[in-house]
Amino acid sequence: MRIDLFRMERTQCLYENEVEFNLSESGVLPLRVEEILEGEDPTTFLAHPMKYPESEGSVELREHIAQWYGATREHVLVTNGGSEANFTAIWGLLDKADHAAVMLPNYLQAWGLSRAYAAKTTAFHLVEQTENGKPRWGLDIESLHKAVSKKTRLIVVTNPNNPTGAVLNEREMGEIVRVARKANAWLLADEIYRGAEVSGPLSLTFWGRYDKLLVTSGLSKAFGAPGLRIGWIVGPPKALANLCRYHDYTTLTPTYLSDRLARIMMRPERREKILERTRAIIRRNLPKLESWIHSHDDIFNYIPPVAGAITFFRYKLPISSAALFDKLRKERSVLITPGDHFGAGRYIRVGYGYDVDYILRGLARVDLTLEELKQKGSRSKQVKSVAERRGAA
Ligand SMILES: Cc1ncc(COP(=O)(O)O)c(C=O)c1O
């Protein structure tokens, strides 16, 4: 079976430890083990035997996860990261003759997997809109209707969205469910950034809105613990029993220690404290990054994120985002994430959940390249207008 190159992940793997400034992170400063263990007796933890853990995740962990959604533990399958949750769901749901419809821009895991497993993958879009005089990324409902047909077996959304930081509103969520129901399609909602709101309340979950629904998530983004590799699928027990048949061919179980640490993190009161920490980090850091973005208002079009530790802005410069990514990496030792890696074109994604002063130092190098490109752009405009004047004379 052939599969698209997952360009975002591959380039990050290749270069993130090589550059001086890595601005491609999409989560927040990771928790340390001692922070997770706060108030626990570490010797009890050290005494754990390294046996096989429960294949679908421990009862206690599944109960805590279920509680966040108002579900029961029978609705939860624990996986190794959000990526295994998405992988298992898509592999388990799609057959050769099926069609899939995937939201773009997006983290292109579901896109690449659907293209490999299904007969046809169509896109529907989040687009730049204005609502009550304010810019926002919103659902292009017409594109959703066009992308979904009777042959569609699976519709995939990421909400809150990576890379835009957009959050769907009640009306948009309702429309997605209505379209899924009409097509009798499964809906997969990747909600891994839920809980990392820059402003406003906790983002709404799709859980409880539809019966053929799988919600995927995990501890890597809003919970600040990507190294634990804990993810999950919340879905109808019958569907999860089927997905377990696929999980048996991948990793069998989560890792024992991660399951134990995740149990602590997902206790309701700890979970809320961890999410508060995340929101405090991103609310503190974003204004600093925004003042850099606004210093380039002549070339950037910026819509603030509603959730997630990522900004995504369009630029007006004579260079593709993939070429800009290469240029910044090779000439400035800075890693950004280009719009191309999300199916979006001339955009840049910059993360701000880590050390914001480090991020600003990296962006000072980006300034040099932007200035160079602006001059190049205005020189080529001048040459063009001289040529046009000559042509007219
Ligand atoms: C939307 C989305 N889903 C899933 C993942 C993968 O998560 P994990 O690191 O838990 O495998 C990512 C990682 O960037 C993501 O952005």
Side-chain angles (χ1 to χ4, degrees), residues 308-319:
I310 39 185
T311 52
F312 194 60
F313 37 93
R314 185 155 47 88
Y315 62 84
K316 285 177 269 172
L317 288 170
I319 186 166

Side-chain angles (χ1 to χ4, degrees), residues 193-374:
Y193 291 92
R194 178 168 177 255
E197 288 72 24
V198 180
S199 55
L202 181 68
S203 311
L204 298 169
T205 173
F206 272 94
W207 184 249
R209 289 167 194 265
Y210 183 43
D211 49 352
K212 292 178 80 174
L213 167 76
L214 299 175
V215 171
T216 55
S217 187
L219 297 180
S220 302
K221 307 296 175 187
F223 289 92
L228 281 188
R229 310 306 302 134
I230 288 286
W232 55 80
I233 307 174
V234 188
K238 218 168 133 196
L240 293 190
N242 182 47
L243 294 183
C244 281
R245 296 173 52 228
Y246 291 79
H247 191 224
D248 290 343
Y249 278 100
T250 55
T251 57
L252 297 180
T253 74
T255 69
Y256 189 96
L257 285 180
S258 292
D259 182 298
R260 265 51 188 178
L261 288 166
R263 278 185 197 181
I264 300 173
M265 290 179 65
M266 287 306 285
R267 285 179 196 150
E269 67 297 350
R270 280 303 291 282
R271 174 190 81 210
E272 291 311 311
K273 281 217 172 92
I274 291 168
L275 294 179
E276 267 167 35
R277 167 190 179 270
T278 298
R279 291 190 285 260
I281 294 174
I282 62 181
R283 288 172 189 187
R284 190 170 61 237
N285 287 359
L286 183 60
K288 290 193 183 176
L289 173 57
E290 283 185 332
S291 53
W292 179 82
I293 294 173
H294 287 305
S295 72
H296 292 287
D297 275 345
D298 54 334
I299 49 166
F300 290 165
N301 191 62
Y302 168 62
I303 299 181
V306 183
I310 39 185
T311 52
F312 194 60
F313 37 93
R314 185 155 47 88
Y315 62 84
K316 285 177 269 172
L317 288 170
I319 186 166
S320 73
S321 66
L324 180 59
F325 162 81
D326 275 337
K327 198 170 167 57
L328 288 169
R329 180 177 66 76
K330 287 182 191 154
E331 296 174 8
R332 309 285 179 207
S333 197
V334 174
L335 201 68
I336 52 116
T337 324
D340 275 358
H341 289 188
F342 303 101
R346 288 189 183 190
Y347 286 85
I348 300 172
R349 192 192 76 175
V350 173
Y352 62 94
Y354 281 57
D355 174 358
V356 75
D357 294 320
Y358 162 88
I359 290 161
L360 292 172
R361 286 203 303 281
L363 290 172
R365 292 204 186 171
V366 174
D367 280 338
L368 303 173
T369 298
L370 295 180
E371 201 43 51
E372 202 181 273
L373 290 167
K374 274 193 221 172

Side-chain angles (χ1 to χ4, degrees), residues 9 26 81-83 86 107 158 162 190 192-193 220-221 229:
E9 288 297 352
S26 62
S83 5
N86 288 333
Y107 179 66
T158 297
N162 175 11
D190 181 338
I192 201 161
Y193 291 92
S220 302
K221 307 296 175 187
R229 310 306 302 134

